[in-house]
PDB file of all heavy atoms in Angstrom:
ATOM      1  N   CYS A1071      -7.349  10.253 -19.637  1.00 97.00           N
ATOM      2  CA  CYS A1071      -6.474   9.087 -19.692  1.00 97.00           C
ATOM      3  C   CYS A1071      -6.231   8.598 -18.261  1.00 97.00           C
ATOM      4  O   CYS A1071      -5.584   7.487 -18.179  1.00 97.00           O
ATOM      5  CB  CYS A1071      -5.162   9.511 -20.398  1.00 97.00           C
ATOM      6  SG  CYS A1071      -5.302   9.689 -22.140  1.00 97.00           S
ATOM      7  N   GLY A1081      -9.317  -9.640 -18.177  1.00 95.00           N
ATOM      8  CA  GLY A1081      -8.913 -11.115 -18.188  1.00 95.00           C
ATOM      9  C   GLY A1081      -8.519 -11.613 -16.883  1.00 95.00           C
ATOM     10  O   GLY A1081      -8.834 -12.671 -16.438  1.00 95.00           O
ATOM     11  N   ILE A1083      -9.258 -10.180 -13.852  1.00 95.00           N
ATOM     12  CA  ILE A1083     -10.361 -10.125 -12.934  1.00 95.00           C
ATOM     13  C   ILE A1083     -11.274 -11.442 -13.122  1.00 95.00           C
ATOM     14  O   ILE A1083     -11.654 -11.978 -12.167  1.00 95.00           O
ATOM     15  CB  ILE A1083     -11.234  -8.890 -13.168  1.00 95.00           C
ATOM     16  CG1 ILE A1083     -10.502  -7.587 -12.890  1.00 95.00           C
ATOM     17  CG2 ILE A1083     -12.570  -8.954 -12.377  1.00 95.00           C
ATOM     18  CD1 ILE A1083     -11.187  -6.307 -13.208  1.00 95.00           C
ATOM     19  N   GLY A1086     -10.007 -14.300 -11.198  1.00 95.00           N
ATOM     20  CA  GLY A1086      -9.868 -14.124  -9.691  1.00 95.00           C
ATOM     21  C   GLY A1086      -8.518 -13.599  -9.181  1.00 95.00           C
ATOM     22  O   GLY A1086      -8.187 -13.846  -8.040  1.00 95.00           O
ATOM     23  N   ILE A1093      -4.585  -1.154 -17.343  1.00 98.00           N
ATOM     24  CA  ILE A1093      -4.392  -0.943 -18.814  1.00 98.00           C
ATOM     25  C   ILE A1093      -3.086  -0.215 -18.943  1.00 98.00           C
ATOM     26  O   ILE A1093      -2.268  -0.604 -19.741  1.00 98.00           O
ATOM     27  CB  ILE A1093      -5.556  -0.254 -19.444  1.00 98.00           C
ATOM     28  CG1 ILE A1093      -6.784  -0.941 -19.324  1.00 98.00           C
ATOM     29  CG2 ILE A1093      -5.236   0.094 -20.983  1.00 98.00           C
ATOM     30  CD1 ILE A1093      -8.080  -0.202 -19.711  1.00 98.00           C
ATOM     31  N   ALA A1104       9.710  -2.405 -26.214  1.00 97.00           N
ATOM     32  CA  ALA A1104      10.199  -1.691 -27.505  1.00 97.00           C
ATOM     33  C   ALA A1104      11.492  -1.040 -27.262  1.00 97.00           C
ATOM     34  O   ALA A1104      12.374  -0.965 -28.175  1.00 97.00           O
ATOM     35  CB  ALA A1104       9.045  -0.786 -28.019  1.00 97.00           C
ATOM     36  N   ILE A1131     -12.128   5.337 -22.644  1.00 97.00           N
ATOM     37  CA  ILE A1131     -13.504   5.580 -22.715  1.00 97.00           C
ATOM     38  C   ILE A1131     -14.329   4.264 -22.817  1.00 97.00           C
ATOM     39  O   ILE A1131     -15.273   4.104 -22.114  1.00 97.00           O
ATOM     40  CB  ILE A1131     -13.781   6.432 -24.024  1.00 97.00           C
ATOM     41  CG1 ILE A1131     -13.246   7.895 -23.776  1.00 97.00           C
ATOM     42  CG2 ILE A1131     -15.290   6.352 -24.315  1.00 97.00           C
ATOM     43  CD1 ILE A1131     -13.449   8.784 -24.966  1.00 97.00           C
ATOM     44  N   GLU A1144     -15.508  -6.639 -35.026  1.00 93.00           N
ATOM     45  CA  GLU A1144     -15.821  -5.407 -35.801  1.00 93.00           C
ATOM     46  C   GLU A1144     -16.420  -4.330 -34.954  1.00 93.00           C
ATOM     47  O   GLU A1144     -16.140  -3.132 -35.144  1.00 93.00           O
ATOM     48  CB  GLU A1144     -16.718  -5.821 -36.956  1.00 93.00           C
ATOM     49  CG  GLU A1144     -16.077  -6.747 -38.022  1.00 93.00           C
ATOM     50  CD  GLU A1144     -16.115  -8.167 -37.547  1.00 93.00           C
ATOM     51  OE1 GLU A1144     -16.751  -8.460 -36.536  1.00 93.00           O
ATOM     52  OE2 GLU A1144     -15.404  -9.025 -38.144  1.00 93.00           O
ATOM     53  N   GLN A1151     -12.533   3.085 -32.310  1.00 96.00           N
ATOM     54  CA  GLN A1151     -12.311   4.061 -33.267  1.00 96.00           C
ATOM     55  C   GLN A1151     -13.114   5.364 -32.946  1.00 96.00           C
ATOM     56  O   GLN A1151     -12.575   6.496 -32.933  1.00 96.00           O
ATOM     57  CB  GLN A1151     -12.619   3.711 -34.706  1.00 96.00           C
ATOM     58  CG  GLN A1151     -12.336   4.743 -35.763  1.00 96.00           C
ATOM     59  CD  GLN A1151     -10.942   5.168 -35.895  1.00 96.00           C
ATOM     60  OE1 GLN A1151     -10.165   4.435 -36.488  1.00 96.00           O
ATOM     61  NE2 GLN A1151     -10.594   6.349 -35.347  1.00 96.00           N
ATOM     62  N   GLY A1162      -7.851  18.597 -28.890  1.00 94.00           N
ATOM     63  CA  GLY A1162      -7.794  19.842 -29.644  1.00 94.00           C
ATOM     64  C   GLY A1162      -7.438  19.675 -31.120  1.00 94.00           C
ATOM     65  O   GLY A1162      -7.244  20.636 -31.824  1.00 94.00           O
ATOM     66  N   GLU A1178      -3.917  -1.317 -35.289  1.00 96.00           N
ATOM     67  CA  GLU A1178      -5.141  -2.033 -35.445  1.00 96.00           C
ATOM     68  C   GLU A1178      -5.170  -2.912 -36.724  1.00 96.00           C
ATOM     69  O   GLU A1178      -5.612  -4.013 -36.719  1.00 96.00           O
ATOM     70  CB  GLU A1178      -6.339  -1.048 -35.459  1.00 96.00           C
ATOM     71  CG  GLU A1178      -7.661  -1.627 -35.546  1.00 96.00           C
ATOM     72  CD  GLU A1178      -8.133  -2.202 -34.283  1.00 96.00           C
ATOM     73  OE1 GLU A1178      -7.413  -2.157 -33.227  1.00 96.00           O
ATOM     74  OE2 GLU A1178      -9.258  -2.738 -34.143  1.00 96.00           O
ATOM     75  N   LYS A1193       1.282  -9.752 -26.915  1.00 98.00           N
ATOM     76  CA  LYS A1193       1.141 -11.180 -26.438  1.00 98.00           C
ATOM     77  C   LYS A1193       2.283 -11.662 -25.499  1.00 98.00           C
ATOM     78  O   LYS A1193       1.977 -12.389 -24.532  1.00 98.00           O
ATOM     79  CB  LYS A1193       1.122 -12.078 -27.674  1.00 98.00           C
ATOM     80  CG  LYS A1193       0.083 -11.782 -28.691  1.00 98.00           C
ATOM     81  CD  LYS A1193       0.141 -12.747 -29.913  1.00 98.00           C
ATOM     82  CE  LYS A1193      -0.823 -12.333 -30.966  1.00 98.00           C
ATOM     83  NZ  LYS A1193      -0.482 -11.081 -31.667  1.00 98.00           N
ATOM     84  N   HIS A1207      -0.009 -16.288  -7.220  1.00 95.00           N
ATOM     85  CA  HIS A1207      -1.307 -16.623  -6.641  1.00 95.00           C
ATOM     86  C   HIS A1207      -1.483 -18.112  -6.708  1.00 95.00           C
ATOM     87  O   HIS A1207      -2.581 -18.592  -6.316  1.00 95.00           O
ATOM     88  CB  HIS A1207      -2.399 -15.947  -7.514  1.00 95.00           C
ATOM     89  CG  HIS A1207      -2.333 -14.433  -7.413  1.00 95.00           C
ATOM     90  ND1 HIS A1207      -2.970 -13.735  -6.420  1.00 95.00           N
ATOM     91  CD2 HIS A1207      -1.723 -13.491  -8.290  1.00 95.00           C
ATOM     92  CE1 HIS A1207      -2.774 -12.506  -6.622  1.00 95.00           C
ATOM     93  NE2 HIS A1207      -2.000 -12.290  -7.700  1.00 95.00           N
ATOM     94  N   LYS A1209      -1.964 -20.158  -9.189  1.00 93.00           N
ATOM     95  CA  LYS A1209      -2.902 -20.527 -10.145  1.00 93.00           C
ATOM     96  C   LYS A1209      -2.318 -21.113 -11.395  1.00 93.00           C
ATOM     97  O   LYS A1209      -1.100 -21.020 -11.619  1.00 93.00           O
ATOM     98  CB  LYS A1209      -3.777 -19.279 -10.532  1.00 93.00           C
ATOM     99  CG  LYS A1209      -4.704 -18.699  -9.443  1.00 93.00           C
ATOM    100  CD  LYS A1209      -5.428 -17.518  -9.981  1.00 93.00           C
ATOM    101  CE  LYS A1209      -6.463 -17.023  -8.884  1.00 93.00           C
ATOM    102  NZ  LYS A1209      -7.591 -17.959  -8.814  1.00 93.00           N
ATOM    103  N   PHE A1215      -1.682 -18.922 -22.351  1.00 97.00           N
ATOM    104  CA  PHE A1215      -0.601 -19.482 -23.110  1.00 97.00           C
ATOM    105  C   PHE A1215      -1.091 -20.131 -24.375  1.00 97.00           C
ATOM    106  O   PHE A1215      -0.518 -20.041 -25.495  1.00 97.00           O
ATOM    107  CB  PHE A1215       0.234 -20.458 -22.329  1.00 97.00           C
ATOM    108  CG  PHE A1215       0.891 -19.711 -21.143  1.00 97.00           C
ATOM    109  CD1 PHE A1215       0.226 -19.693 -19.844  1.00 97.00           C
ATOM    110  CD2 PHE A1215       2.130 -19.183 -21.224  1.00 97.00           C
ATOM    111  CE1 PHE A1215       0.863 -19.018 -18.791  1.00 97.00           C
ATOM    112  CE2 PHE A1215       2.826 -18.580 -20.149  1.00 97.00           C
ATOM    113  CZ  PHE A1215       2.141 -18.494 -18.962  1.00 97.00           C
ATOM    114  N   SER A1240       9.735 -25.335 -16.801  1.00 95.00           N
ATOM    115  CA  SER A1240      10.636 -25.728 -15.687  1.00 95.00           C
ATOM    116  C   SER A1240      10.036 -25.653 -14.339  1.00 95.00           C
ATOM    117  O   SER A1240      10.146 -26.530 -13.515  1.00 95.00           O
ATOM    118  CB  SER A1240      11.931 -24.846 -15.759  1.00 95.00           C
ATOM    119  OG  SER A1240      12.629 -25.039 -16.905  1.00 95.00           O
TER     120      SER A1240
END
Side-chain angles (χ1 to χ4, degrees):
C1071 289
I1083 294 173
I1093 297 166
I1131 290 179
E1144 296 76 13
Q1151 177 65 76
E1178 185 75 1
K1193 299 179 187 69
H1207 298 277
K1209 290 179 176 288
F1215 297 91
S1240 295

